[in-house]
């Protein structure tokens, strides 16, 4: 089955840039989506189809995808960005959604 | 505004059954695939099942044969019938709307908690 690997944690100071990676075999050939989950809340889509943003999501959130790594970038990090972040793809071979292992972003 | 509202969770004993429901509003329900995703306490997200607009269904391996997902387009609802519950099924269960031409999941409901314990 297809596996997506994320770093367990990323720490960043306010105003700096956080980069969260999502590794998978030839992930660049797939559409990658990113979700933010704050404590006690349901996940929220922040980036879809590699680099598009849903309405209402700040421009500070951006995505890229190439080769074996997709990346979610959070610019000018704020305290409210502290959350768990998950990447996700659809695996057409197994007809499964696949989620990454999740990354906890801590704002110092 | 698209809204999803799950219900049906609770405390159940191992081996028992439960039926989760998700009421949808704010979009043409019959045209969209819907999914269930669960999250065990302190763990990551795990996709459970998807039902497409043509009612074809897909399941993750650990639930195939025990879980059945269905939809009622007349009532704008999806259901997840869970049989032979195990302790490892303890989780928050979220329903989510799939994209029309995208595999994104957006939005998600607030979730319903299933606890399997004797």
């Amino acid at each position: 089955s297809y596996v997506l690997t994320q770093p367990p944690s990323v720490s960043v100071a306010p105003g700096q840039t956080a980069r969260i990676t999502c590794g998978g075999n030839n992930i660049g050939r797939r559409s990658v989506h990113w979700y933010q989950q704050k404590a006690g809340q349901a996940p929220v889509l922040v980036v879809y189809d590699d680099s598009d943003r849903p309405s209402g999501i700040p421009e500070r959130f951006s995505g890229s995808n190439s080769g074996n790594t997709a990346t979610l970038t959070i610019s000018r990090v704020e305290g409210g960005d502290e959350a768990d972040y998950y990447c996700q793809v659809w695996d057409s071979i197994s007809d499964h959604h696949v989620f990454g292992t999740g990354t906890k972003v801590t704002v110092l | 505004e698209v809204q999803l509202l799950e219900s049906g969770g609770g405390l159940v004993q191992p081996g028992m059954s439960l039926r989760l429901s998700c009421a949808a509003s704010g979009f043409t329900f019959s045209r969209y695939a819907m999914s269930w995703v669960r999250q065990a306490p302190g763990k990551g997200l795990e996709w459970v099942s998807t039902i497409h607009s043509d009612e074809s269904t897909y399941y993750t391996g650990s639930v195939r044969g025990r879980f059945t997902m269905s939809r009622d387009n007349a009532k704008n609802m999806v259901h997840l019938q869970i049989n032979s519950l195990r302790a490892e099924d303890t989780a928050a269960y979220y329903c989510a709307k799939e994209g029309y031409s995208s595999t994104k999941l957006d939005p998600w409901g607030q979730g319903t908690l299933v606890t399997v314990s004797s």
Side-chain angles (χ1 to χ4, degrees):
Chain A
S1 60
Y2 194 71
V3 176
L4 296 175
T5 303
Q6 299 179 233
S9 62
V10 167
S11 297
V12 58
Q16 299 303 302
T17 298
R19 292 180 179 85
I20 304 162
T21 58
C22 176
N25 187 38
N26 289 320
I27 194 174
R29 298 182 181 180
R30 302 171 186 261
S31 290
V32 179
H33 318 297
W34 291 91
Y35 303 89
Q36 176 194 68
Q37 186 180 31
K38 297 182 179 180
Q41 298 183 20
V44 172
L45 181 72
V46 293
V47 167
Y48 67 97
D49 293 345
D50 298 340
S51 58
D52 290 333
R53 264 187 324 276
S55 60
I57 300 300
E59 292 183 4
R60 301 184 298 103
F61 289 83
S62 62
S64 63
N65 185 20
S66 178
N68 292 317
T69 305
T71 303
L72 174 69
T73 301
I74 310 172
S75 303
R76 302 180 299 282
V77 166
E78 302 173 356
D81 299 331
E82 196 163 88
D84 294 325
Y85 291 83
Y86 296 89
C87 58
Q88 174 248 319
V89 301
W90 172 259
D91 181 21
S92 59
I93 295 175
S94 61
D95 287 326
H96 281 41
H97 283 293
V98 179
F99 286 95
T101 48
T103 299
K104 182 176 182 60
V105 170
T106 300
V107 180
L108 301 172
Chain B
E1 179 191 6
V2 175
Q3 290 191 330
L4 302 172
L5 184 63
E6 302 95 334
S7 61
L11 173 63
V12 294
Q13 294 183 338
M16 301 296 285
S17 298
L18 206 58
R19 189 194 195 207
L20 307 182
S21 297
C22 172
S25 61
F27 63 103
T28 306
F29 177 77
S30 61
R31 295 184 182 178
Y32 289 85
M34 300 291 293
S35 288
W36 286 96
V37 177
R38 68 182 178 183
Q39 186 172 37
K43 302 298 185 182
L45 301 175
E46 179 189 25
W47 170 75
V48 173
S49 63
T50 295
I51 187 166
H52 286 262
S53 56
D54 63 2
E55 302 200 12
S56 58
T57 51
Y58 303 88
Y59 301 93
T60 192
S62 62
V63 309
R64 194 174 295 118
R66 296 190 301 123
F67 289 22
T68 302
M69 187 175 183
S70 60
R71 64 190 300 155
D72 183 341
N73 289 338
K75 296 183 178 179
N76 288 0
M77 296 190 73
V78 291
H79 304 287
L80 187 67
Q81 178 68 39
I82 307 175
N83 297 330
S84 303
L85 276 156
R86 306 168 179 170
E88 54 265 35
D89 296 321
T90 294
Y93 284 74
Y94 298 98
C95 73
K97 169 182 168 286
E98 302 228 349
Y100 189 75
S101 57
S102 167
T103 54
K104 64 183 178 181
L105 297 170
D106 179 53
W108 298 50
Q110 89 292 343
T112 188
L113 183 61
V114 174
T115 303
V116 184
S117 175
S118 55

